[in-house]
Amino acid sequence: MGVRGLVIISVSTGMVVATSAMAAQDEETNIQNLPPVEVAAPPPAAARRVAPARPVARIGAPGSASPRTRLYVYPTAPGTGRGLDVDKVPSAINAVDASQIKRTGSLNVTDALRDYVPGVNISEVTGNPFTPDVEFRGFVASPVTGTPQGLAVYQNGVRINEAFSDAVNWDLIPTAAIRSVTLVTNNPAFGLNALGGAINLQMKDGFTYQGAEIDMMGGSFGRIQGSAQWGKQVDKNYAVYAALEGLHDNGFRNFSQSDVRRFYGDVGYKAGDSEFHANMGVAKNNFGASATVPAELLEKYWGATYTTPQTTANRVGYLNLTGKVDATPTWTLEGTAHVRRFEQNIVDGNPTDVEECAADAALLCFGDDTTPANGAGGVQLANPFAPGTILGAIDRSSIRSTTFGVSGQATNTDQLFGHDNRFVMGATYDASTTRYNASSEIGSMGENYVVSGSGVFLGATPTADPVAGPVSLRTVNQYNGLYAMDTFNVTDAFAITGGGRFNAARITLEDQLGTALNGDHTYTRFNPMIGGTYKITPGLTAYAGYSEANRVPTPLELGCADPARPCLIAAFLVADPPLKQVVSKTVEAGFRGTRELNIGTLGWKIGGFRATNYDDIVAVPAVGRTGFGYFTNVGRTRRQGLEAEVNIKSPTLQFQASYAFVDARFLDPLELGSESPFADDATETIQVRPGNQIPAIPRHRVKVGVDYAVTDVWKVGGNALFVSSQYIVGDESNQFAKLPSYTVFNLHTSYQVTKNIQLYGRVDNVFDKRYVTYGQFFDREALPNFTNGGAEFVDPRSLSPARPRAFYAGMRVTF
């Protein structure tokens, strides 16, 4: 479906938008930022009074001979087909369209989520803006291996949480090719990890995007980026689409350069009521500066790094095949098949527990000055370093994952007992094989915190308790899912939705260097949901729902779960006891509405939620051993809050203001290891009480954004973001001072020079606010403070600094 000369009618909001024919224009969306879908026009009211021999629902029964209209719908299952009318969705509606992504001027889709979805908060845990943590309602989707993941992410119906750790590598997503993003909550149909919801990415194709566009931008910190996309409907049956993106950024921190290269393509075929697509993508990205920095170093220089090298190299290639057939006027069948290859190489400089032996300085010891540090052959390592050398380690790890999956979904819109009804059922199967390898090279630490390698590699130390050393592990994940959802219209105004999903997961670990890591774990669970909507007036809808979801421990978590034998998280694994799966039970309710005003279409929503996790999993540090830790179940945790938003949309004005409150707490008492200055000196632990807040989750988020067309060719806009204070990681007992709140202002403008050429510019962090988005405690005794004469660090905090003020300018050309 192209956008030229197209008249779009929004059944759900009553808004009518006409778009003139012009090149490479993104689709118009409704007040909820949803793109339209084409369906059979409903029959006249008089015709519906006579029930046919086989009653058929008036919405969603496409037929090739029927007149067509367009609706705005919301996804309720992972498939790529048409979703549910927004008035019938028993959960909050959160969506971002292609034009909003474009206005951010960013190749990170996470920036659009941060700016336009009320409950989303971004933390640069890695210290790199292209690999952020996305937190929504206290649940996280992170690229950091070892972060407990609470959000599922789908691209064209395929789950893209990585196999080994469920991590989400946002840098691999082709941002220019995104048609829309929806954040689906209160719905177990999206399978594993959807504790807080599922981020659902629908991509462009040659039917939905036609024309060509070249976008080039440059600016502060050596930023140079460009993207090109092209879509064409060859004839009424075939269409092609391709997008290419590239970026280089030197970063504002030492050693923090970034290089991004991505390609996405789609070939589509449409005949009557059937549609088939083959789409593929590749990416090759490299990043630096992937860690927090001691606060005392940041006070001296905002671009400081702590220990280097810190580099990450991500590679991905994938192929997806999708098909949709309207088998009958009321049955739609969908299917997908996909294969994905992901490779990651991490090089990470760190402090080390290797030191000179007390009895013989010519030998190396580990953890203390008496326990031998063995090499790969099990022989104690000789000390090649000069006396007094401060030692460090260059830890290397690699992940090689291949995933294959298939899914099928059927949708039926036959009437039930004379009432409109929509029934969806589906099944999914995914299998992944991962090769994971890790090693640690002992080196010398310079006064600039750069580790220089020596060619000496650490082996199992000691053999009876291999807490560090080379790892070679093969893992196999097999995930099966079966789901069904039904939406029944009790009346035209009142609809009830019910259903659930059964998940079965088997995770096998095969140690390639011995048998210590071998394991075979199986998890099963059925997650139900029920909800309803009531259309109080044509412009006001109430909704409420209850659902359950689960996530199973990842191979990484299963290989590192023993507090007595901690691992270097994301590097070294040991044999461990099994972990329980996490189960989340969520209830949410609210109101949403639309209204036509003289200045445009008004949309608003307000809602509350409460999610209780059972057997939640957290990463716990091993005190005194930098980078080491373990995973453990911590009982119950709760996340609850409120989200409110108002927005106005017209050809000349787009305005959005939102507020989100998130209260995240532990519900059970527990004892955790911590580098906190309040930790017990004897046990090196803190006591977490019921009601203590979960760190790294700010309670208040306020967002305001406006775009205004001063003339037909000149637009100006800006946005402001307020994020409240938060406890730092390691302070689960809530005894240390919080990280301060921050407010950031951004401005942007564009000028349409000709019909096909646009110039634009933006200023991020206008007032050059120095703030941090994430913090944690660190081992102050691991290394001296070289910026203070080699004295011991005093401030226990290690922080992720945000980017200073930055200026960017670019040009966009369409054909």
Side-chain angles (χ1 to χ4, degrees), residues 202-214:
Q202 291 297 322
M203 312 304 287
K204 298 174 183 175
D205 57 51
F207 296 116
T208 62
Y209 181 93
Q210 296 171 12
E213 177 184 279
I214 298 175

Side-chain angles (χ1 to χ4, degrees), residues 578-599:
L579 293 170
K580 300 177 183 178
Q581 63 182 330
V582 182
V583 174
S584 184
K585 300 180 179 181
T586 301
V587 61
E588 68 173 286
F591 299 88
R592 56 177 172 260
T594 62
R595 185 174 182 179
E596 293 299 325
L597 304 176
N598 291 334
I599 58 174

